[in-house]
Amino acid sequence: MEISRRDFLKVSFVAGSGLVIAVYLGGCKELPTQENTPTATALLKSTPIPTRTELPEGTPTPEPPTWFTPNVFVTIGSAGLITITAHRSEMGQGVRTALPMILADELGADWNSVRVEQALGDPAYGSQETGGSHSIQNFYSIMRSAGAVGRQVLISAAAQTWGVDTRDCFTEKSMVIHRPSGQKLPFSALITLASTLPVPASRVISLKDPADFRIIGTSLGRVDNPEIITGKAVYGMDVRLPGMLYSAVAHCPVIRGKVTSYDDSATRQVPGVREVVQIDNGIAVVAEHAYQALRGKALLQVSWDSGANTRLNSTELEQALLERAKIATPPADELVQYYTMPYFAHATMEPMNCTANVSSDGCEVWVPTQNPQVVRSNIKGLLRIGPDKIKVYVPLIGGGFGRRLESGPAGLSPTVDYVSEAVQISQAIGAPVHLIWTRQDDFEHDMYQPLSVTRVRARLDDISTLSAQRFDVSSSIPVGYWRSVTNPPEAFARESFMDEYAVMTKADPVVLRHNYLNGRARDVVDMAADMASWGSPTPTGVGRGIAYHATWGATHVAQVAEVMVNETEIRVLHVFCAVDCGLVINPDMVIAQMESGIVFGLTAALKEHIHIESGIVTPYSFAGYPLLRFDEMPQVEVQIVKSTERPTGVGEMGNPPIAPAVANAVFAITGQRLRRLPLRLT
Amino acid sequence: MSQISLIVNGSQQTLDVDPDTPLLWVLRDQLGLTGTKYSCGLGQCGCCTVHIEGEAKRSCTIPVSSVVDKVIVTIEGLSPDGSHPLQQAWVSEQVAQCGYCQPGQIMTAAALLSRTPNPNDEQINQAMAGMLCRCGTYQRIKRAIRRVIAEGGL
């Protein structure tokens, strides 16, 4: 049976019934035993990862098969190793652990024999766009079905072997067990037969009763941790190819400026510098080692055509935006207020980078990206080669926060700046190239969280008339997705306004929200208030603020911040966070994402902002763009609502409520209402 | 370029290198020790922290010529198999998220505990305050350090 890779899994959207999965049984193929196969990360260091789906046409199928591959997401080997493919990008949110947990549970796998392999960018997996906190929400059912299909085929194989009814069998710890007799067969003993059996149609796949979950709902450790703590984990920056050269690019300091001319004579004196080439975005220096490329870049003399963007000034844009949002004479029976968020950078700890190898065979890239299929489209447009000649490998990502989701201006063919640069350089010099952006490149050429002003209004006699409108700027400043996207300005505005409204109407902020909200939203507000002992006395100089937000309307989060003010210094001491994300896959990872979102949001609330003057981004290092530090970390407590609702995401959800919670606490202590981030007391 | 001799993770290495090259790049590009990370290049974030003669130092701002014949330990050399108490505590507390800064965090904490086996909160804050983590794992880092201390130190 010869089945193309596209046939392994077909995912189709059916109106009204959500996602339906059709999974076809792949022919089993003779491959090296899994135990002898180097780990994906080891292979990343040297050669591309061979995947079972990419065997050349006509590869013979010897008997007996040593692998059983019910679909693109899972392979069971004759030695018992279960390889689960993670098709979404890992950037710290734990997706390489959480999605395989779901599949493994449905399959009845022993988690200790599961190995996770990272998928290449390929539409065969469905969407790989790792953003919007969508991975669990969109793939929970698909992962379950993918595991259930494997389980049913394995059960059929065992039932056939024993001559018993499949309905009397179940799976556990990588074994099929016959309930009446207690006899057992390991998965590994069943793959030969399993690979000859028909695959059940999607509509007849029976899923486990959630009461029988063994893996889902447990705080299993992240699969990448052992390699992270020993320094063996491979990020984009750590990709090494035979014959690879290193490159750094001089970019125009003014946004979207172009090269007029350049002098590379000093650069070429640097030992190890091999080439200097002009590309669309600037001048690339190529060298034998990274530092030589960086030194060579520093010695370039480039004349730039800065263009019209030298007029860009973020302070002026902000003032103009506030003017635009203002209502000249607000109705007397309304409260109207304006809340401002400046430009923010992503500031991932791993700067942008990409390793590209353009050759007559096509193009391979190794890139920490949240969107490998967009990278493919980018390369296709750039090189005008077929998708079969493009391979996108996704190593671990040293922080994404939306920066690595970017695909250039809407409506144009996708362009991923650092990918285009690496591909152009490799093409120009005919060798594999590892492109490194410096921290300065990263700050100056980010796609920023856009500046916004949000206007909120409500009639003073009726909070349910509350409405909010966000205003932003159309300018040449590149903007994009930043963790939680439009949710932070929305939450900061509405939740600060709620507090102002409570003050004006002499209502308690928790009671006001309790009455205004209902259902799961109200429950998390009450839970966070209970956690914080809302209403109990606080020490002098310490105040509490509360905020609630459901990012993307999906996951309900309420936070109470306890804040201390010392003159103009704002110090967050304690954060109580209640979260309802439906059924929980891994409780500790939910807690970790709440902690992470809170710290990310606190940096925005208290520290960071991007300033642009004469078209130049001024903070270009962590000295000018401070992040929340270890010694400023509040104590964070998280409680998760027990729920059987469908699971929703957590990657972004901890962030939006924290800034308004802190601003509201600052008001409680000082009486100063701060309506712009970062919060600054006068 | 000149011949420079380094002692990294217990083995003596002789390299042909520009003496001004920061130690970070020598470790990463010439010795293949990519566990030590580049992030800011200015000594502002701590991702590149290694031990030089037992002290936590930022390898991105140290010229390789200044560490000739000094004892250098990177995350790969902290233990042969991830068994250092701090590495174990990092797993127990599930500290890492993206993980990019964690080798530097672990090396900084290891230098602290080898010098000050039972630090108070203030000493932990002081040692760790300059170590940036954009994922916000600070609370777990502190818990992992506290766990090692509670379990008897290094």
mmCIF file of all heavy atoms in Angstrom, chain B residues 98-118:
data_model
loop_
_atom_site.group_PDB
_atom_site.id
_atom_site.type_symbol
_atom_site.label_atom_id
_atom_site.label_comp_id
_atom_site.label_asym_id
_atom_site.label_seq_id
_atom_site.Cartn_x
_atom_site.Cartn_y
_atom_site.Cartn_z
ATOM 1 N N CYS B 98 11.175 29.033 28.018
ATOM 2 C CA CYS B 98 11.918 28.890 26.751
ATOM 3 C C CYS B 98 13.289 28.298 27.018
ATOM 4 O O CYS B 98 13.843 27.609 26.194
ATOM 5 C CB CYS B 98 11.990 30.213 25.993
ATOM 6 S SG CYS B 98 13.395 31.274 26.363
ATOM 7 N N GLY B 99 13.839 28.587 28.195
ATOM 8 C CA GLY B 99 15.080 27.946 28.617
ATOM 9 C C GLY B 99 16.355 28.619 28.164
ATOM 10 O O GLY B 99 17.444 28.234 28.587
ATOM 11 N N TYR B 100 16.238 29.646 27.330
ATOM 12 C CA TYR B 100 17.439 30.234 26.716
ATOM 13 C C TYR B 100 18.367 30.846 27.754
ATOM 14 O O TYR B 100 19.581 30.739 27.641
ATOM 15 C CB TYR B 100 17.004 31.280 25.685
ATOM 16 C CG TYR B 100 18.084 31.701 24.726
ATOM 17 C CD1 TYR B 100 18.420 30.904 23.631
ATOM 18 C CD2 TYR B 100 18.760 32.908 24.887
ATOM 19 C CE1 TYR B 100 19.399 31.292 22.735
ATOM 20 C CE2 TYR B 100 19.739 33.313 23.985
ATOM 21 C CZ TYR B 100 20.059 32.495 22.913
ATOM 22 O OH TYR B 100 21.028 32.885 22.019
ATOM 23 N N CYS B 101 17.793 31.476 28.780
ATOM 24 C CA CYS B 101 18.633 32.126 29.795
ATOM 25 C C CYS B 101 19.069 31.158 30.886
ATOM 26 O O CYS B 101 19.894 31.511 31.721
ATOM 27 C CB CYS B 101 17.885 33.302 30.428
ATOM 28 S SG CYS B 101 16.524 32.789 31.527
ATOM 29 N N GLN B 102 18.492 29.958 30.915
ATOM 30 C CA GLN B 102 18.670 29.106 32.095
ATOM 31 C C GLN B 102 20.101 28.616 32.325
ATOM 32 O O GLN B 102 20.516 28.511 33.480
ATOM 33 C CB GLN B 102 17.676 27.943 32.089
ATOM 34 C CG GLN B 102 16.199 28.373 32.118
ATOM 35 C CD GLN B 102 15.788 29.221 33.318
ATOM 36 O OE1 GLN B 102 16.495 29.258 34.313
ATOM 37 N NE2 GLN B 102 14.655 29.911 33.211
ATOM 38 N N PRO B 103 20.881 28.290 31.284
ATOM 39 C CA PRO B 103 22.268 27.923 31.598
ATOM 40 C C PRO B 103 22.993 29.027 32.381
ATOM 41 O O PRO B 103 23.702 28.737 33.357
ATOM 42 C CB PRO B 103 22.895 27.707 30.214
ATOM 43 C CG PRO B 103 21.744 27.242 29.366
ATOM 44 C CD PRO B 103 20.569 28.074 29.856
ATOM 45 N N GLY B 104 22.768 30.277 31.980
ATOM 46 C CA GLY B 104 23.390 31.391 32.699
ATOM 47 C C GLY B 104 22.842 31.530 34.111
ATOM 48 O O GLY B 104 23.591 31.825 35.059
ATOM 49 N N GLN B 105 21.551 31.308 34.275
ATOM 50 C CA GLN B 105 20.953 31.388 35.617
ATOM 51 C C GLN B 105 21.555 30.308 36.517
ATOM 52 O O GLN B 105 21.906 30.565 37.678
ATOM 53 C CB GLN B 105 19.423 31.172 35.533
ATOM 54 C CG GLN B 105 18.681 32.095 34.581
ATOM 55 C CD GLN B 105 18.297 33.439 35.186
ATOM 56 O OE1 GLN B 105 18.690 33.762 36.305
ATOM 57 N NE2 GLN B 105 17.554 34.228 34.432
ATOM 58 N N ILE B 106 21.655 29.090 35.976
ATOM 59 C CA ILE B 106 22.183 27.970 36.778
ATOM 60 C C ILE B 106 23.648 28.226 37.158
ATOM 61 O O ILE B 106 24.050 28.016 38.312
ATOM 62 C CB ILE B 106 22.038 26.633 36.003
ATOM 63 C CG1 ILE B 106 20.548 26.269 35.853
ATOM 64 C CG2 ILE B 106 22.801 25.510 36.708
ATOM 65 C CD1 ILE B 106 20.279 25.084 34.920
ATOM 66 N N MET B 107 24.427 28.711 36.185
ATOM 67 C CA MET B 107 25.847 28.960 36.479
ATOM 68 C C MET B 107 25.995 30.045 37.540
ATOM 69 O O MET B 107 26.877 29.965 38.412
ATOM 70 C CB MET B 107 26.594 29.351 35.199
ATOM 71 C CG MET B 107 26.665 28.255 34.141
ATOM 72 S SD MET B 107 27.325 26.685 34.738
ATOM 73 C CE MET B 107 29.091 27.012 34.730
ATOM 74 N N THR B 108 25.132 31.062 37.480
ATOM 75 C CA THR B 108 25.197 32.144 38.471
ATOM 76 C C THR B 108 24.826 31.615 39.859
ATOM 77 O O THR B 108 25.501 31.917 40.861
ATOM 78 C CB THR B 108 24.258 33.294 38.060
ATOM 79 O OG1 THR B 108 24.589 33.681 36.736
ATOM 80 C CG2 THR B 108 24.405 34.491 38.992
ATOM 81 N N ALA B 109 23.756 30.823 39.910
ATOM 82 C CA ALA B 109 23.331 30.254 41.199
ATOM 83 C C ALA B 109 24.401 29.305 41.738
ATOM 84 O O ALA B 109 24.656 29.273 42.955
ATOM 85 C CB ALA B 109 22.001 29.520 41.025
ATOM 86 N N ALA B 110 25.051 28.549 40.860
ATOM 87 C CA ALA B 110 26.082 27.595 41.300
ATOM 88 C C ALA B 110 27.271 28.331 41.912
ATOM 89 O O ALA B 110 27.816 27.903 42.941
ATOM 90 C CB ALA B 110 26.528 26.726 40.128
ATOM 91 N N ALA B 111 27.657 29.442 41.288
ATOM 92 C CA ALA B 111 28.774 30.223 41.842
ATOM 93 C C ALA B 111 28.388 30.806 43.195
ATOM 94 O O ALA B 111 29.185 30.809 44.139
ATOM 95 C CB ALA B 111 29.179 31.324 40.869
ATOM 96 N N LEU B 112 27.141 31.262 43.311
ATOM 97 C CA LEU B 112 26.667 31.812 44.590
ATOM 98 C C LEU B 112 26.758 30.760 45.693
ATOM 99 O O LEU B 112 27.332 31.012 46.768
ATOM 100 C CB LEU B 112 25.218 32.295 44.451
ATOM 101 C CG LEU B 112 24.474 32.581 45.763
ATOM 102 C CD1 LEU B 112 25.031 33.832 46.441
ATOM 103 C CD2 LEU B 112 22.969 32.731 45.530
ATOM 104 N N LEU B 113 26.203 29.580 45.423
ATOM 105 C CA LEU B 113 26.130 28.564 46.482
ATOM 106 C C LEU B 113 27.500 27.960 46.810
ATOM 107 O O LEU B 113 27.694 27.477 47.923
ATOM 108 C CB LEU B 113 25.135 27.458 46.118
ATOM 109 C CG LEU B 113 23.661 27.861 46.052
ATOM 110 C CD1 LEU B 113 22.767 26.627 45.955
ATOM 111 C CD2 LEU B 113 23.235 28.707 47.252
ATOM 112 N N SER B 114 28.411 27.985 45.865
ATOM 113 C CA SER B 114 29.727 27.434 46.212
ATOM 114 C C SER B 114 30.501 28.412 47.090
ATOM 115 O O SER B 114 31.317 28.018 47.908
ATOM 116 C CB SER B 114 30.511 27.055 44.957
ATOM 117 O OG SER B 114 30.756 28.192 44.191
ATOM 118 N N ARG B 115 30.172 29.694 46.952
ATOM 119 C CA ARG B 115 30.852 30.708 47.771
ATOM 120 C C ARG B 115 30.090 30.944 49.079
ATOM 121 O O ARG B 115 30.675 31.119 50.132
ATOM 122 C CB ARG B 115 30.921 32.008 46.951
ATOM 123 C CG ARG B 115 31.999 32.962 47.355
ATOM 124 C CD ARG B 115 32.120 34.135 46.382
ATOM 125 N NE ARG B 115 30.856 34.774 46.064
ATOM 126 C CZ ARG B 115 30.273 34.738 44.866
ATOM 127 N NH1 ARG B 115 30.847 34.105 43.859
ATOM 128 N NH2 ARG B 115 29.116 35.342 44.656
ATOM 129 N N THR B 116 28.755 30.954 48.962
ATOM 130 C CA THR B 116 27.886 31.240 50.116
ATOM 131 C C THR B 116 26.880 30.101 50.244
ATOM 132 O O THR B 116 25.800 30.170 49.660
ATOM 133 C CB THR B 116 27.133 32.581 49.898
ATOM 134 O OG1 THR B 116 28.061 33.560 49.425
ATOM 135 C CG2 THR B 116 26.472 33.065 51.165
ATOM 136 N N PRO B 117 27.217 29.053 50.969
ATOM 137 C CA PRO B 117 26.367 27.851 50.969
ATOM 138 C C PRO B 117 24.954 28.090 51.503
ATOM 139 O O PRO B 117 24.041 27.388 51.119
ATOM 140 C CB PRO B 117 27.120 26.885 51.882
ATOM 141 C CG PRO B 117 28.518 27.395 51.933
ATOM 142 C CD PRO B 117 28.441 28.869 51.758
ATOM 143 N N ASN B 118 24.789 29.069 52.386
ATOM 144 C CA ASN B 118 23.465 29.292 52.957
ATOM 145 C C ASN B 118 23.075 30.767 52.855
ATOM 146 O O ASN B 118 22.957 31.463 53.864
ATOM 147 C CB ASN B 118 23.458 28.803 54.413
ATOM 148 C CG ASN B 118 22.039 28.736 54.961
ATOM 149 O OD1 ASN B 118 21.067 28.826 54.200
ATOM 150 N ND2 ASN B 118 21.924 28.637 56.262
#
